[in-house]
Amino acid sequence: MNDLVRQHTALSESDLDWLHLLVSEWQLLSDLSFADLVLWVPTHDGTRYVSVAQMRPNTGPTSYQDDMVGHLVPRGRRPLLDAALDEGRIVREGDPEWREEVPVRVESIPVRREGRVLGVIARNTNLLTVRTPSRLELTYLQSASDLAQMIAAGSFPFPEQQVDMDASPRAGDGLIRLDADGVVQYASPNALSAYHRLGLAADLVGQHLGHVTAELAPSRGPVDEALVKLASGYAPRETEVEGNGGVIQLRAIPLKPKGSRIGSLVLLRDVTELRRRERELITKDATIREIHHRVKNNLQTVAALLRLQARRMDSDQGREALNEAVRRVGSIAIVHETLSQNLDERVEFDDIADRVISMVAEISPGKVDCRRNGRFGILDAEVATPLSMVLTEVLQNALEHAFAPAGHGTVEVTAVRGDARAVEPRLLITVQDDGRGLPEGFDPQRTGNLGLQIVRTLVEGELGGTFDMRPAPERGTRVVLDIPVRPHK
């Protein structure tokens, strides 16, 4: 819609915002009308109309099998559009049109904002299945007529209320029509069922909805006057009401077709099971985070015990082995600490990489500058945990062997994330130092210490990637890790 309005019309950005607000709401008008809606806006020169949005009803058959958005029609071809735009009134005159042997009633509703008509809504009703309307259908049609008059007067939609149509209740979920005093004139079967879920034992018709709702909702103090007013439909608001183990979502829409409020629509939906599942998920997430927190604490306890044991070792080789184990356990603890602070099993690995680099750099006897380039991005926990250990081992190997016993140098960790649109996105990690380099005849796939054996096992076994260790182009050693990663939006 943005592109069509900016390309073909003279509407301002604030006018476009109004149209967006209208389109976010007009599913309700379409459902209440049992009709298709097409929004037509005059072009720059006023000689044509361009259709910028379209909506089909959930409550009846469509009048348009094809998509109408983007169509241009000259002024004069559709007289009802001309009359609604020029006269600023709802136009219903004319006989039904026949489209593919289907009779269609066409009406035009001007879209007004601050006294100006921005465009016209063509309301098209498929008459093929017309029958004697029920009480529900009559209520729907009367409410649709009131909303259409409010659109023509510029009083609907409500600028102060931004509605999330994916979460907001719809007409089919449950509808109650109130008079000006807040007394129920009609309640759909779904609406009545929702109030029975709250504990209502009687019928709703003839009762004051605000008082009934406040009585059903438990309150520790006096009657909730705000809830009474909201459920009475005095202002456009949304809320949730909980009682008797049930939860219903309410949305009030004041009806002011001629400027003053004649009544209200209350849309409602039983969200009891939805909220129950949400609470279960919240509890589950909290439990998972607590587990990660406890695992992190246990790993830190293990690391502390190993550190104490290392201090008591007489053998330098045994002491160093225990210190290596401390760093390996610490790298896993960092991942679990990060997971304990997240809502899902994914982590921003850049922070973990920086902490691993700092942890390993602290053990360097010389002055080695360790730094990171590029971004690892978001990784699953099942990738982050072994990758943190791999990064720890590779860095530790570089600091111990490239610059021993107390040399100076640089270690660079570079991460390049592949195209997320690829069939199998990859993460390429390069760890390069400018130290003494590899010994003559060194084969990383066959030889190496325990650390390199751990790296090979984790990269090739758990991560499904490849590991290579070769001389750097100028000086030092380059380690290349290539692993598959799952793309995240």
Side-chain angles (χ1 to χ4, degrees):
M1 186 167 72
N2 288 346
D3 294 340
L4 289 170
V5 169
R6 290 166 181 159
Q7 179 181 354
H8 294 285
T9 78
L11 297 182
S12 66
E13 289 298 316
S14 58
D15 292 335
L16 179 57
D17 291 340
W18 181 263
L19 295 184
H20 274 293
L21 188 60
L22 172 67
V23 168
S24 72
E25 291 273 28
W26 72 344
Q27 179 72 66
L28 175 61
L29 177 62
S30 178
D31 290 345
L32 294 175
S33 303
F34 308 98
D36 290 78
L37 306 178
V38 179
L39 178 57
W40 297 92
V41 180
T43 56
H44 291 286
D45 54 10
T47 61
R48 295 181 297 174
Y49 297 96
V50 58
S51 58
V52 298
Q54 179 179 1
M55 178 58 66
R56 292 184 174 89
N58 294 317
T59 52
T62 183
S63 302
Y64 287 110
Q65 298 299 325
D66 299 327
D67 190 0
M68 295 296 296
V69 175
H71 283 215
L72 289 162
V73 298
R75 183 178 173 90
R77 179 174 295 179
R78 302 193 178 185
L80 297 186
L81 293 182
D82 298 337
L85 184 68
D86 297 338
E87 301 172 21
R89 65 180 180 88
I90 298 176
V91 182
R92 295 191 177 94
E93 295 88 352
D95 297 327
E97 296 181 2
W98 286 85
R99 301 175 186 166
E100 299 179 356
E101 299 183 356
V102 175
V104 177
R105 182 174 63 241
V106 180
E107 304 166 88
S108 294
I109 305 168
V111 178
R112 192 183 302 273
R113 174 179 178 263
E114 297 180 350
R116 297 179 298 111
V117 178
L118 306 182
V120 179
I121 295 176
R123 182 164 55 177
N124 304 271
T125 307
N126 187 324
L127 301 177
L128 194 61
T129 58
V130 169
R131 54 185 171 81
T132 303
S134 64
R135 179 72 188 281
L136 180 145
E137 291 167 333
L138 289 173
T139 303
Y140 272 32
L141 293 171
Q142 181 58 54
S143 302
S145 176
D146 294 335
L147 287 178
Q149 293 183 58
M150 292 169 65
I151 291 173
S155 57
F156 186 82
F158 305 110
E160 68 273 15
Q161 185 186 39
Q162 295 288 339
V163 177
D164 181 0
M165 292 308 296
D166 291 333
S168 185
R170 300 190 177 189
D173 297 325
L175 178 142
I176 297 175
R177 173 89 184 209
L178 307 178
D179 65 13
D181 296 323
V183 176
V184 178
Q185 294 180 312
Y186 175 79
S188 71
N190 284 346
L192 190 58
S193 296
Y195 265 83
H196 286 166
R197 188 73 177 262
L198 290 181
L200 179 70
D203 194 1
L204 273 174
V205 176
Q207 299 201 55
H208 191 281
L209 187 66
H211 293 158
V212 170
T213 304
E215 290 172 1
L216 294 173
S219 176
R220 297 179 181 177
V223 175
D224 189 343
E225 293 297 331
L227 180 59
V228 172
K229 293 193 68 174
L230 188 149
S232 301
Y234 288 102
R237 294 289 187 271
E238 283 195 35
T239 192
E240 286 189 2
V241 180
E242 186 169 358
N244 195 40
V247 184
I248 63 173
Q249 185 180 12
L250 293 178
R251 181 191 176 197
I253 302 174
L255 297 176
K256 304 177 182 179
K258 296 182 180 179
S260 58
R261 193 173 68 86
I262 64 167
S264 305
L265 277 183
V266 176
L267 305 178
L268 64 154
R269 178 172 58 182
D270 185 348
V271 293
T272 305
E273 294 304 317
L274 178 63
R275 295 296 176 260
R276 182 184 63 81
R277 289 196 296 270
E278 288 178 350
R279 284 193 287 267
E280 288 178 352
L281 288 174
I282 290 173
T283 302
K284 179 181 177 182
D285 289 340
T287 302
I288 292 173
R289 289 199 299 272
E290 178 63 21
I291 289 172
H292 283 302
H293 180 72
R294 294 189 181 188
V295 170
K296 182 262 297 184
N297 288 344
N298 291 339
L299 289 172
Q300 289 180 337
T301 300
V302 171
L305 292 173
L306 291 173
R307 197 177 293 112
L308 287 173
Q309 187 66 39
R311 292 173 184 170
R312 295 175 177 268
M313 293 289 293
D314 296 329
S315 168
D316 291 340
Q317 187 177 3
R319 187 183 305 109
E320 182 55 33
L322 288 176
N323 285 331
E324 286 184 2
V326 168
R327 288 188 287 273
R328 287 165 185 153
V329 172
S331 66
I332 302 175
I334 291 173
V335 177
H336 283 282
E337 182 180 6
T338 305
L339 287 169
S340 69
Q341 300 167 359
N342 290 349
L343 295 177
D344 53 25
E345 291 292 290
R346 295 182 294 169
V347 295
E348 178 64 62
F349 196 79
D350 294 322
D351 178 58
I352 294 175
D354 291 340
R355 294 177 65 180
V356 167
I357 291 171
S358 298
M359 178 184 69
V360 177
E362 289 177 359
I363 61 116
S364 175
K367 293 183 178 180
V368 179
D369 179 22
C370 296
R371 53 177 178 262
R372 171 178 63 88
N373 298 317
R375 294 191 67 251
F376 288 85
I378 298 174
L379 298 177
D380 290 333
E382 60 187 16
V383 174
T385 301
L387 183 57
S388 67
M389 285 195 65
V390 167
L391 192 58
T392 300
E393 296 298 331
V394 172
L395 288 170
Q396 188 169 293
N397 187 75
L399 294 176
E400 286 183 358
H401 299 288
F403 307 104
H408 297 67
T410 302
V411 178
E412 287 192 359
V413 179
T414 304
V416 178
R417 194 75 176 252
D419 189 351
R421 296 170 296 180
V423 176
E424 188 180 50
R426 314 287 294 185
L427 175 62
L428 185 66
I429 305 166
T430 304
V431 180
Q432 181 168 319
D433 64 68
D434 56 0
R436 65 178 63 183
L438 296 173
E440 189 72 26
F442 181 82
D443 184 357
Q445 300 301 328
R446 296 179 179 275
T447 59
N449 54 22
L450 175 62
L452 290 182
Q453 293 177 23
I454 292 175
V455 169
R456 284 197 298 269
T457 301
L458 292 177
V459 172
E460 298 173 359
E462 288 200 33
L463 297 176
T466 61
F467 161 70
D468 188 25
M469 193 175 191
R470 65 184 79 132
E474 296 182 359
R475 181 186 176 190
T477 304
R478 172 182 291 178
V479 175
V480 180
L481 309 171
D482 187 357
I483 61 174
V485 292
R486 187 191 309 173
H488 292 293
K489 297 181 179 179

